[in-house]
Amino acid sequence: MCRWAAYWGEAIFLEDIISRPGHSLIHQSHCATKCHTAINADGFGVAWYGDRAEPGLYRDVMPAWSDPNLRSLTAQVKSPLFLAHVRASTGTATSRNNCHPFTWGKWSFMHNGQIGGYDAFRRAADMMIPDHLYPHRKGATDSEALFLIAVAEGLEDDPLPAFERAAARMIGLARAKGAAPHLRLTAALSDGQRLYAMRYATDDAAPTLFYRWSDTRNGWAVVSEPLESGEGGWIEVPPYSFCSFGPEGVLRRDFHPCRLAAAA
């Protein structure tokens, strides 16, 4: 399992989420507390938004705690919206193209979880990515495939039903050719205007997801784990949820790809 953190609000230095808190994302990369493995050393990545529509992207295969360039970048770059991820591979190679976040146009996406038995149907999953999107398939992860399938399913029109349909298609493959758990999904994505997050699993082990408003930062932090030990105000997102963070606050809607998968 991986760990990730995202932010929407008034522009802050990336380090205010990624490296400065007591249980920052970098700390979680070698000392996670709410997942099966405490070590997330198979690469990292950051996508951030600024004056241009498309996000900046920095990824590498080093453990997040050992890359001085990451600390230097996060200490200098300010952004009102960014996504950051530390990776623990579930089977695919440790390479820059397999590091999250993934981007397509103005969209960025990152995932914590797994699709059961993915190696058994990787080719079938790739076949679900249309020809015009396939050049954007740079790595070999289930996460990137899920993202591009969601793009094909209408991500730009409405990300919730697009991801429900994409997740349902993956669940169908996992049930037919893979293994349980068919899908565990805690993910974040953004179009540069709003931040979206979802939590879902086909079993009872959905990866953790929390959010908190900060009066100091004047923004929302959305994380796999709270950024400070014992800090109050963190709200745990229930399973089967799709949340939107924006100027109007937090909007939570139901997220049930299993209904579509059952009907297929």
Side-chain angles (χ1 to χ4, degrees), residues 87 92 97-98 100 102 118 137 139-146:
R87 182 172 183 251
T92 49
N97 283 336
N98 285 340
H100 307 223
F102 306 102
Y118 181 69
R137 175 66 155 148
T141 65
D142 52 0
S143 303
E144 186 186 37
L146 176 66

Side-chain angles (χ1 to χ4, degrees), residues 133 145-156 158-159 162-163 165-167:
L133 290 175
L146 176 66
F147 174 47
L148 292 174
I149 293 167
V151 172
E153 290 289 344
L155 177 66
E156 289 193 293
D158 191 337
F163 263 95
R165 290 190 290 267

